[in-house]
Amino acid sequence: MTRTVYVNGEYLPEAEAKVSIFDRGFLFADGVYEVTSVLGGKLIDFAGHAKRLQRSLNELEIANPVTEDALLEIHRELVRLNGIEDGLIYLQITRGAADRDFVYPKDATPTIVLFTQAKPGLADSPLAKTGMKVISIEDQRWGRRDIKTVQLLYPSMGKMMAKAAGADDAWMVEDGHVTEGTSNNAYIVKGNAIITRHLGNEILHGITRAAVLRFAREAQMVVEERPFTVDEAKAADEAFITSASAFVMPVVVMDGQPIGTGQPGNVTARLREIYLDEMRKAAV
Ligand code: PDD
């Protein structure tokens, strides 16, 4: 079955979908994106992603070409047309096509593109049982990581560094403190506390992060939103990451050293279970 994608108001076979070579997403990485997961044919935390999308657009002064209701409808239609049971929906909005100039064009029409990725068994990843290995690398991204732009080359390089080192991902470090993973938020557990970097321009404000911290607090767990060092991570009892595509995923090795027992921890497993249960219930 050929994939049906969405481009500027039309549902098209992927081979027929076209965007201009002058699109500022292509020339300047002048665009933002969201990734929403689908479980059992339903969208996980669509409202959270729609809200962050609007914030990213506002920060870059890009007009949103669709209402939240229309966006929900497009997501649902793509799930239906592509028969997605478990998978991801990728959404990108750019400032649109204009003659190349560093100044934002006044008359460009934003480009909107969505496509699906089928991921059967997305919530049953074997990594959830074995845990991930991470390496630490310097965070060399730009300073507005709170905006979810399509400027992903350094995270992609980081992922390649991790693969070359036989690991699954890289945790990025700035001034001795972990910021986040290449495409996820980073956490450690020490004693009874769940520790993750506070919100700011240095990290993406994860939608999964917000939900997981809410569930943790509701379950009377202690949450500390503060920077933590690589040494603290290596001395932690547990570590994990969160993202829309990985949910809550244990991290068991950092820079070749086991974290805690070197096995996925109980707090991580519990948070993953609560997150998946609650979010499946609330899926739309
Ligand atoms: N990445 N930090 C970074 C740098 C990210 O790219 C992501 C998401 C997150 C987690 O955010 P959320 O919980 O809202 O997915 C944190 C997506 C999944 C991606 O690029 O594929």
Side-chain angles (χ1 to χ4, degrees), residues 123 127-131 189 194 212 221 237-242 247-252 263-277:
L127 266 187
K129 298 204 174 58
T130 56
V189 179
I194 298 162
V212 165
M221 296 178 181
D237 299 327
E238 298 182 28
F240 63 94
I241 55 120
T242 64
F247 311 116
V248 177
M249 196 64 81
V251 171
V252 294
Q263 300 293 320
N266 294 334
V267 174
T268 305
R270 182 146 174 248
L271 285 173
R272 181 178 170 90
E273 194 182 319
I274 299 175
Y275 178 81
L276 284 169
D277 281 357

Side-chain angles (χ1 to χ4, degrees), residues 29-34 52-62 93 95 104 141-152 180 200-205:
D30 188 357
V32 302
Y33 77 108
E34 284 295 332
R52 184 175 61 193
L53 171 69
Q54 189 58 57
R55 179 182 182 277
S56 295
L57 291 170
N58 290 349
E59 292 299 309
L60 297 179
E61 298 168 49
I62 297 176
I93 296 177
R95 199 179 304 277
Y104 296 169
R141 296 173 299 163
W142 78 323
R144 287 304 304 277
R145 303 160 195 157
D146 57 309
I147 310 174
K148 198 164 171 62
T149 73
V150 296
Q151 200 193 123
L152 296 176
E180 57 190 333
N201 293 346
E202 301 79 22
I203 61 166
L204 185 74
H205 301 186

Side-chain angles (χ1 to χ4, degrees), residues 42-105:
K42 289 188 165 178
L43 303 163
I44 301 298
D45 212 343
F46 172 80
H49 290 283
K51 192 166 168 211
R52 184 175 61 193
L53 171 69
Q54 189 58 57
R55 179 182 182 277
S56 295
L57 291 170
N58 290 349
E59 292 299 309
L60 297 179
E61 298 168 49
I62 297 176
N64 192 342
V66 282
T67 63
E68 188 173 326
D69 286 351
L71 198 59
L72 176 58
E73 206 35 57
I74 298 166
H75 277 72
R76 284 180 164 156
E77 186 63 2
L78 282 179
V79 167
R80 193 184 69 76
L81 290 170
N82 293 289
I84 304 292
E85 190 59 20
D86 294 340
L88 303 172
I89 304 189
Y90 178 87
L91 151 73
Q92 179 169 330
I93 296 177
T94 74
R95 199 179 304 277
D99 196 27
R100 188 175 182 276
D101 189 337
F102 282 77
V103 173
Y104 296 169

Side-chain angles (χ1 to χ4, degrees), residues 33 35 49 52 141 148 180-185 204-209 242-245:
Y33 77 108
V35 176
H49 290 283
R52 184 175 61 193
R141 296 173 299 163
K148 198 164 171 62
E180 57 190 333
T182 60
S183 58
N184 46 67
N185 290 117
L204 185 74
H205 301 186
I207 300 306
T208 318
R209 176 189 184 282
T242 64
S243 78
S245 50

